[in-house]
């Protein structure tokens, strides 16, 4: 298993989003390592009215305009944390939302954090952050050189033909098929 290198993240969000499928999102903490295989993503570009970066840099979204390979974490509806991978060249304001993972390591810890059935441990952006222990304090962490949150490649390639469709939970640019999923999930 090897960490994904920074230049891999320097590509357009529409290229990174399907390529993130089947990568491992790993989080280390006092509870050991928990990880999940990424099975669903959504791309957000700076000219996209549904993107947090659409109106330019703010205190909330400034990480999106930083170096690629960083984690952008925000609160949705004031309660759910959502984790995004910053992509593209620095200053471009694009990211990929990680929508769902299939638990791989630390499943007992995930069960403690989310008292739900195993099928629902991490099948949504807020659920996966809760299960993996990703919090607002992780906003801006380096996925490449950091040791708490990383994206790793264990050799399982992304699907050749990922399922695509409209993004979920947005009210603008809903017709863009920028949601990518592993077919079996």
């Amino acid at each position: 298993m090897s960490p994904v290198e920074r230049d891999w993240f320097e590509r357009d969000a529409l290229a990174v989003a399907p390529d993130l499928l089947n990568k491992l999102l790993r989080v280390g903490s006092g509870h050991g390592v928990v990880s999940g295989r990424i099975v669903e993503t959504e791309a957000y570009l700076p000219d996209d009215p549904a993107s947090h970066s659409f109106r330019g840099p703010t205190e909330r979204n400034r990480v999106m305009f930083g170096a690629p390979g960083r984690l952008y974490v925000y609160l949705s509806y004031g309660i759910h944390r959502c984790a995004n991978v910053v992509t593209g060249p620095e200053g471009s304001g694009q990211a990929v939302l990680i929508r769902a993972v299939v638990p791989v390591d630390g499943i007992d810890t995930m069960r403690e954090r989310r008292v739900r059935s195993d099928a629902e441990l991490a099948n949504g952006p807020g659920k996966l952050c809760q299960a993996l222990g990703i919090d607002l304090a992780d906003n801006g962490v380096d996925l490449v050189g950091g040791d708490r949150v990383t994206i790793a490649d264990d050799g399982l390639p992304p699907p050749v033909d990922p399922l695509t469709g409209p993004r979920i939970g947005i009210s603008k640019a809903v017709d863009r098929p920028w949601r990518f999923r592993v077919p079996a999930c």
Side-chain angles (χ1 to χ4, degrees), residues 2 7-8 20 22-23 29 36 53 65 71-72 75 103 106-108 119 124 133 146 160 164 169:
S2 59
D7 61 347
W8 191 88
L20 269 173
N22 286 329
K23 298 283 188 276
S29 69
S53 65
F65 292 90
L71 194 65
Y72 168 50
L75 276 181
I107 295 172
D108 287 338
V160 174
T164 60

Side-chain angles (χ1 to χ4, degrees), residues 20-85:
L20 269 173
L21 298 175
N22 286 329
K23 298 283 188 276
L24 295 172
L25 177 60
R26 299 174 48 85
V27 182
S29 69
H31 295 283
V33 172
V34 292
S35 70
R37 188 166 304 282
I38 299 170
V39 294
E40 187 175 349
T41 61
E42 289 181 352
Y44 289 89
L45 296 172
D47 63 348
D48 172 8
S51 177
H52 288 181
S53 65
F54 183 66
R55 298 196 190 285
T58 65
E59 186 57 34
R60 178 188 188 200
N61 71 14
R62 68 179 168 76
V63 172
M64 286 182 75
F65 292 90
R70 298 239 175 227
L71 194 65
Y72 168 50
V73 182
Y74 66 89
L75 276 181
S76 176
Y77 302 110
I79 46 175
H80 303 291
R81 297 171 308 269
C82 296
N84 299 260
V85 176

Side-chain angles (χ1 to χ4, degrees), residues 94-178:
Q94 50 185 300
V96 174
L97 172 66
I98 302 173
R99 284 204 52 84
V101 301
V102 172
V104 174
D105 295 310
I107 295 172
D108 287 338
T109 299
M110 291 184 207
R111 288 179 184 134
E112 290 171 15
R113 292 174 176 160
R114 287 199 36 80
V115 184
R116 302 282 189 263
S117 70
D118 282 4
E120 295 183 1
L121 278 178
N123 66 338
K127 294 174 184 180
L128 78 87
C129 283
Q130 185 180 10
L132 296 176
I134 295 173
D135 206 341
L136 292 177
D138 294 310
N139 187 41
V141 301
D142 190 354
L143 297 168
V144 176
D147 57 356
R148 176 160 152 72
V149 184
T150 58
I151 303 275
D153 185 344
D154 67 351
L156 183 63
V160 174
D161 291 316
L163 297 176
T164 60
R167 297 170 294 181
I168 298 173
I170 58 173
S171 59
K172 299 175 182 173
V174 295
D175 58 331
R176 296 180 185 178
W178 293 354

